[in-house]
Amino acid sequence: MAQFEQDGKRLHGKKILCVGLCNIDIIQVCDAYPAEDSDQRCQSSRWQRGGNASNNCTVLANLGARCELLASFSDAKMFHFALDDLRERKIAHDHCVYHRGAQVPLSTVWLSLATGSRTIVHSNPDLPELTFEDFQRINLQDYAWIHFEGRRNTSTIVQMIRSIVEWNERPENQSCKVKISVELEKPRHSNLDLLVDGVDVVFVGKDFARFLGHDSAREAIAGLKQLHPGSYIIICPWGERDTVAIDRQDRWFTQPTYPPEVIRDSLGAGDTFVAGCILKLAEEEPPGSLSVVLEFASRVAGQKLAIFGFDGIKRD
């Protein structure tokens, strides 16, 4: 608790806001990935609140941070499961937007005990994305950090980011600027790189990097810096390989992963890493070396791989 109180002072008592998706994951733990047209039993199954931004909040809450989720919600009874979980974990969601009659976003997930892989089939037929007007209802004064999950409403997220940048530039806000981060992960959205301008930290996913034609984390970072020059951090985790990053002074860093002896559940490991980076970066005042941040996040992600779900993730 003493560590959390100290960290809370570094964040000035403000929250970390994660903007993106909240859905329900239906997870089946199987001996091996199921063959097509087969009928078999799984080892176990569970429901879990999911979505990148939602998972970021879960990890941040487990690590002792004050956090909030901003997402579109369905008003369906099934979605009460996700709402109850948010309340139990004390994750604020006061500004989330409810949509009458919208279907609940669902992900069906197969976890293979043989390989540690996870296969996801996602369904989100009609839940609207957040609008800029939805975002304007928050008070930026309440947050130390705002993280955006790159989604298909790219132009709207650009508006949100620009509104924060404009708020930060006001003379009266110079001592309480809001840090901004964004995750570029979805390979089906080719214009996600437009979200880079004005942010402090960019997380580049391996799938998105490959979608743009890059074969390594270093190549992806160099390509992004060439397209969008500026003073900001880029962090590119590459699965089981080393994470590569570059800081504001264009210094390069390489961080190994810390996989457990047995990988039980890789679902949300990337979200865990991102949350670990955000928390450590938000706590650093003045900012320390990026290597400290990457080390912390990699160890937290390693913890997650060893357990089912997120309960049990904690500070070392």
Side-chain angles (χ1 to χ4, degrees), residues 42-72:
C42 63
Q43 291 282 350
S44 63
S45 63
R46 70 180 189 273
W47 281 33
Q48 181 174 291
R49 175 175 48 80
N52 287 22
S54 175
N55 288 342
N56 295 150
C57 283
T58 300
V59 177
L60 288 168
N62 284 2
L63 295 174
R66 292 185 64 218
C67 60
E68 180 176 343
L69 174 67
L70 179 58
S72 291

Side-chain angles (χ1 to χ4, degrees), residues 141-156:
Q141 187 71 40
D142 295 336
Y143 308 100
W145 194 291
I146 298 180
H147 173 68
F148 293 92
E149 173 190 346
R151 298 187 56 75
R152 60 177 178 266
N153 58 334
T154 305
S155 60
T156 300

Side-chain angles (χ1 to χ4, degrees), residues 105-131:
L106 289 174
S107 289
T108 305
V109 185
W110 290 271
L111 295 179
S112 169
L113 294 176
T115 63
S117 68
R118 87 287 186 275
T119 303
I120 304 172
V121 178
H122 185 63
S123 171
N124 186 5
D126 63 357
L127 186 68
E129 295 284 355
L130 290 167
T131 67

Side-chain angles (χ1 to χ4, degrees), residues 4 44 69 80 107 109 139 156-158 212 246-248 276:
F4 171 55
S44 63
L69 174 67
H80 290 181
S107 289
V109 185
N139 183 358
T156 300
I157 300 175
V158 168
L212 295 182
I246 192 170
D247 68 7
R248 292 181 179 276

Side-chain angles (χ1 to χ4, degrees), residues 25 36 41 45 75-76 124 128 145 159 197 227 239 262 274 285:
D25 294 335
E36 184 177 357
R41 289 186 177 271
S45 63
D75 68 345
N124 186 5
W145 194 291
Q159 281 185 287
D197 294 333
L227 280 175
V262 178
V274 168
E285 192 180 289

Side-chain angles (χ1 to χ4, degrees), residues 206 210 215-217 236-244 254-258 298:
K206 177 179 65 173
R210 285 178 169 168
D215 295 322
S216 69
C236 185
W238 205 265
E240 68 279 1
R241 297 185 184 177
D242 292 349
T243 293
V244 179
T254 301
Q255 172 62 47
T257 59
Y258 294 103
S298 294

